[in-house]
Amino acid sequence: MEERLFSYPPEGAADIVREEQAAVFNPPELEMSLAMNRISLAFLFLHRKQNNYQRRKIITASMSTAGQVIRCKAAVAWESGKPLSMEQVEVAPPQKNEVRIKILFTSLCHTDVYFWDVKGQNPLFPRILGHEAGGIVESVGEGVTDLKQGDHVLPIFTGECKECAHCLSEESNLCNLLRINTDRGEMIHDGKSRFSINGKPIYHFLGTSTFSEYTVVHVGQVAKINPKAPLDKVCVLSCGMSTGFGATVNVAKPKKGQSVAIFGLGAVGLAAAEGARVSGASRIIGVDLNPNRFELAKKFGVTEFVNPKDHNKPVQEVIAEMTGGGVDRSVECTGSVQAMMAAFECVHDGWGVAVLVGVPSKDDAFKTHPVNLLNERTLKGTFFGNYKPRTDIPAVVEKYMNKELELDKFITHTVPFSEINKAFELMVAGEGLRCVIRMGE
């Protein structure tokens, strides 16, 4: 049976019709009410029709490309720190337990810039970067049963095989098979790349490589989401937003009315602040060395600000004085060992919980007096906000759909795929939070 992609009346139409009927009891406003409701109904139907048309178009194209090599555009990093080059690449069909995805939107994360610039990492070029994205399944490989052509998905930089001890545990999201591996440039099935240019392999990145119009991803790194969710918004949930938000709601778990300190007010830190806001925190204290970030942070619920450079004492002491002994929860999102130590030592004894999110340099270490632990402060770490990609991320998307989570304010810039290097320039300059890249433009 052919899948039904169009429906009429569209969802929401019944509510608008009921509003029109109710307007009859308010004659002076009847004409305006009817006009506005009909306009709303027209826009609702048009939006639904456009989404379904795009999905049907991709499914139709997939029928002719499944099992075939696809030639498409990709932004290739040929060497460290040099602008990405727009190339035509060949994308091989998905193999066992793999999915080929048409990427519609992708966003730039600091991790992409970090590995593009090879700061303290093993260089691996040529490579297709990118790991925050949204797209539609073009085809699936052998053994894939829970995804099909046309499904709306988010590729994720880490995975969930659903079989290892970590995946079977309710407490962990550190999959043994698909845990993040920044040095791996091939698919785990056969150790080969699915990307090539004139027969020369191009390396993958984090198993996602979303700076390509088509990519191949292990099925365990693909979250199937609500097809009604706007991919140009929810694509940012593939990494940074979920990492920060989950660190607060899943790990720190502030109770309503408690105080929370957020160290680092970049995109991840502001996502952590959003988590505190959603949790009902009464005070959200932002800590950052850049005062220019303070005004923007107010949109994410931050109520007070501390710049460590403005004080002649450790910032943990400043916060303890502000809060009468320390905050109830803290979330560190910088990767600085000084910030990690301060985040731990600024929480209240007896019940305070500090959560570390930022990734430190390889040889970093920090120390604190054991009494801080004996006085019943808790120190935790987290990875990807403790979310299991396939199991949990669809529910986070639903939070956005239900207006329980705001994402639009994280997206400060958009550029066409042809101008992807502009996104890098913006991030290197420290401008904005997330730049969404429109593929196919």
Side-chain angles (χ1 to χ4, degrees), residues 8-297:
Y8 190 88
E11 183 177 343
D15 292 334
I16 293 175
V17 171
R18 281 193 290 271
E19 289 176 10
E20 286 201 4
Q21 292 171 342
V24 173
F25 297 100
N26 191 4
E29 299 178 3
L30 174 59
E31 184 175 350
M32 179 63 72
S33 176
L34 291 174
M36 293 303 295
N37 280 330
R38 284 169 181 148
I39 291 173
S40 298
L41 181 57
F43 274 107
L44 180 64
F45 179 66
L46 178 61
H47 177 72
R48 182 78 176 273
K49 185 175 180 179
Q50 287 173 335
N51 283 348
N52 285 328
Y53 173 75
Q54 184 180 51
R55 186 168 176 233
R56 168 173 277 184
K57 184 178 179 181
I58 291 173
I59 291 175
T60 301
S62 298
M63 291 177 181
S64 61
T65 57
Q68 306 296 318
V69 172
I70 290 179
R71 290 173 175 81
C72 68
K73 291 181 181 178
V76 179
W78 289 98
E79 55 184 307
S80 172
K82 297 297 177 66
L84 304 188
S85 175
M86 199 63 68
E87 308 281 358
Q88 184 179 75
V89 300
E90 294 88 38
V91 185
Q95 300 303 305
K96 185 177 181 180
N97 292 326
E98 294 175 359
V99 180
R100 188 159 60 183
I101 303 169
K102 180 176 177 61
I103 300 296
L104 298 182
F105 298 94
T106 185
S107 59
L108 182 64
C109 171
H110 278 92
T111 303
D112 298 307
V113 175
Y114 189 81
F115 283 89
W116 163 72
D117 208 21
V118 196
K119 295 180 178 178
Q121 303 296 323
N122 297 323
L124 191 62
F125 297 102
R127 202 172 203 182
I128 298 175
L129 301 169
H131 64 285
E132 284 190 353
I136 297 179
V137 173
E138 176 270 338
S139 61
V140 301
E142 176 190 347
V144 177
T145 58
D146 55 351
L147 290 172
K148 64 181 184 304
Q149 286 182 346
D151 282 344
H152 287 220
V153 295
L154 301 183
I156 311 290
F157 69 95
T158 186
E160 180 187 357
C161 71
K162 294 191 175 183
E163 296 178 355
C164 71
H166 283 281
C167 287
L168 296 176
S169 167
E170 294 182 357
E171 300 180 32
S172 175
N173 67 339
L174 301 174
C175 177
N176 283 335
L177 178 66
L178 300 168
R179 190 177 304 191
I180 183 173
N181 184 335
T182 59
D183 293 330
R184 184 170 60 227
E186 303 87 9
M187 300 300 290
I188 63 174
H189 170 62
D190 56 8
K192 297 179 181 179
S193 174
R194 302 291 176 259
F195 298 109
S196 63
I197 297 179
N198 298 323
K200 180 181 178 180
I202 306 296
Y203 291 114
H204 292 250
F205 177 63
L206 300 182
T208 52
S209 293
T210 62
F211 293 166
S212 173
E213 292 178 324
Y214 287 86
T215 189
V216 177
V217 183
H218 191 284
V219 66
Q221 292 182 242
V222 181
K224 179 181 176 180
I225 64 168
N226 186 341
K228 298 176 185 177
L231 291 173
D232 60 330
K233 308 297 183 186
V234 299
C235 65
V236 299
L237 290 172
S238 291
C239 180
M241 304 309 103
S242 295
T243 296
F245 187 79
T248 302
V249 300
N250 295 335
V251 187
K253 297 180 180 178
K255 299 176 182 177
K256 186 175 182 179
Q258 288 190 323
S259 57
V260 181
I262 307 294
F263 285 75
L265 298 177
V268 176
L270 292 177
E274 178 76 359
R277 182 191 68 81
V278 169
S279 299
S282 60
R283 299 177 70 179
I284 305 175
I285 302 171
V287 182
D288 202 293
L289 296 172
N290 184 355
N292 294 328
R293 291 179 165 180
F294 293 166
E295 190 62 33
L296 176 62

Side-chain angles (χ1 to χ4, degrees), residues 397-430:
V397 171
E398 290 307 307
K399 284 184 178 293
Y400 171 74
M401 297 297 287
N402 295 331
K403 303 187 185 304
E404 300 171 26
L405 169 65
E406 297 178 19
L407 292 178
D408 300 48
K409 59 189 178 184
F410 286 99
I411 301 169
T412 52
H413 299 84
T414 62
V415 297
F417 189 33
S418 60
E419 297 179 16
I420 188 172
N421 286 305
K422 183 177 180 180
F424 277 75
E425 293 170 5
L426 289 167
M427 182 158 285
V428 170

